[in-house]
Amino acid sequence: MIVKRMLPFVLALGLLVGCGTTVVNPVTGESERTTMDESAELAEGKKAHAEVLKEYGVYRDTRLQAYVNEVGQKLAKQSHRANIPWTFTVLASPEINAFALPGGYVYVTRGILAYMENEADMAGVIGHEIGHVTARHGAQRATRQQTAGLGVLAATVLGAVLESKVGVSGGTEMFGQMAQGVAAGYVAKYSREQELQADTLGAEYLARSQYDPRHMIDVIRVLKLQEAFAIDEARAAGQPAPERDSWLSSHPSNDQRLQSISQNAAKYQGTFASDGSQRFMQMIDGVRFGESPEQGLTRGQNFYHPAMGITMAAPAGWRIENAADALTFTSPQGDAALRVLAVPPNAGNTHDDIIRNALQPSEGKTTRGNINGFTATHFVGARKGSNGQPQALEATLVTGPKQNTFVMLYLSVDPAARQRAMTGMMAAEKSFREMNAADQQAARPWVVRLVPFPRGGFAELARQSAVPEKRLQLLNGTYGRSDPPVGQMVKVVKAE
């Protein structure tokens, strides 16, 4: 299931015309009313697939793509819908995520593969997503959305989500269409029963394909370690525990899932094939780790975007949040931020055009200047909010290398927070500059490599890695657990 962003096509799925028809669910054998029969599933899935590839991008590794497709097709042949065409794709995303669309389209990110330990674990993730398709969960969700009038609700929910996530007065509606996925993600989630059913089906498909269903348990445990790690990191930095941002985000509680999956796995007895760990590890040797140069790279308090040739730095204590649609520098208190967005080419030819077309102010004034040699315009004013009331609006536009223009929005929950964070926001803004040779070296992308586990343990391993000791433990599934045997092949992260 997609976690972080649900694309605008989800809205379209909820607006299918007609009063629906009756179909037989392939898994339960029961009749159900639906707005999406199998032919519609295939058609809508095909359209949505193109949008997914456009949004995330396909990970450019034909060998890995073929491997994931091979495992996926093996599982799909043992499913309740072996008759439909299945498509399995590795997405070029660092997110720890997997999801499926109606019509047999299943996706895993390169991010989630890096944290898996063997082929059977990967099969558990894929089997779960196949279960969503075979049980027609996407079609059921689309039917519920049409009944709920999602098309009418979307704009309202989008506005509410932006207010709650950003907590600002002014500027949040800019490029609002890019955030439609957030709203849809909040509205369109699988039910608890559907998630548990997908777990059950995943275990069944694993057993039919000669994988031990207990690997479904291993997958949940690996992902639980992700949560524990994120909480520990936040506490160490004196910050609140982060919102879950992984394959588990909208699933039932981990303890409940573990109990349910353990009970299901115990039903399957017999001899199963190897977990495929050696082959799997060979396949992910060299897979990209973390952010990509195309989206920009965070290295400590520095952000680099090689494709655009720019770099910025976060003040001490501030967090860098690098998303597909925006770069955000967030204050230590989390109540203010400088949000940086690339301005679309059609927004205007001049800074004044962009302010008028994109920010749409109702009043305000501009001040001309420059940031490290690049033309900049600072705007302070107001715009009319969705409720018709004026909202404070402050932003800086800068045209950097390659004539790319960026807008930096000053965001805060209230005037007091803005005042406290103003020095930090201005420092982040003034750090905008062109990358030099040293920056290019620092911005080399990271990849996963396999090495024998050294006698000095993870402390020694960290000395040859781009990420610290605890992250390496997490990557190898040993966070909070005992070390692997000396000489065993383990994952390390190195600059490409």
Side-chain angles (χ1 to χ4, degrees), residues 412-434:
S412 62
V413 297
D414 54 43
R418 179 183 295 255
Q419 186 64 31
R420 285 193 304 270
M422 184 58 69
T423 300
M425 289 192 285
M426 292 177 65
E429 176 185 297
K430 290 177 180 177
S431 72
F432 180 96
R433 62 177 176 81
E434 187 172 9

Side-chain angles (χ1 to χ4, degrees), residues 461-473:
L461 195 65
R463 286 194 284 272
Q464 55 177 298
S465 173
V467 299
E469 180 178 347
K470 289 185 178 180
R471 174 68 69 176
L472 288 175
Q473 292 174 337

Side-chain angles (χ1 to χ4, degrees), residues 40-52 101-105 107:
E41 275 191 82
L42 296 173
E44 292 298 326
K46 185 176 182 179
K47 282 191 252 180
H49 177 62
E51 294 294 330
V52 169
L101 294 174
Y105 294 89
Y107 309 88

Side-chain angles (χ1 to χ4, degrees), residues 262-284:
S262 297
Q263 291 172 347
N264 285 324
K267 298 176 184 178
Y268 300 96
Q269 303 296 324
T271 302
F272 299 101
S274 164
D275 63 8
S277 58
Q278 183 176 355
R279 185 186 182 203
F280 177 83
M281 293 289 272
Q282 290 173 345
M283 286 292 178
I284 65 167

Side-chain angles (χ1 to χ4, degrees), residues 75 120 123-124 127 202-213 215-216:
L75 290 161
E204 180 179 345
Y205 300 155
L206 256 65
R208 289 183 182 182
S209 305
Q210 291 301 299
Y211 294 111
D212 190 335
H215 282 280
M216 292 287 293

Side-chain angles (χ1 to χ4, degrees), residues 174 338-339 341 343 349-356 359 361 364-381 393-400 404-410 429-430 432:
M174 181 180 177
L338 183 75
R339 176 159 295 175
L341 304 102
V343 176
N349 296 320
T350 67
H351 287 187
D352 288 341
D353 288 343
I354 295 168
I355 290 171
R356 182 171 53 255
L359 300 183
K365 64 178 182 179
T366 58
T367 304
R368 310 298 180 186
N370 76 83
I371 300 175
N372 293 314
F374 293 109
T375 302
T377 302
H378 191 72
F379 176 87
V380 179
L393 175 61
E394 183 170 0
T396 296
L397 278 75
V398 58
T399 299
N404 289 313
T405 297
F406 303 85
V407 60
M408 306 182 194
L409 295 169
Y410 283 62
E429 176 185 297
K430 290 177 180 177
F432 180 96

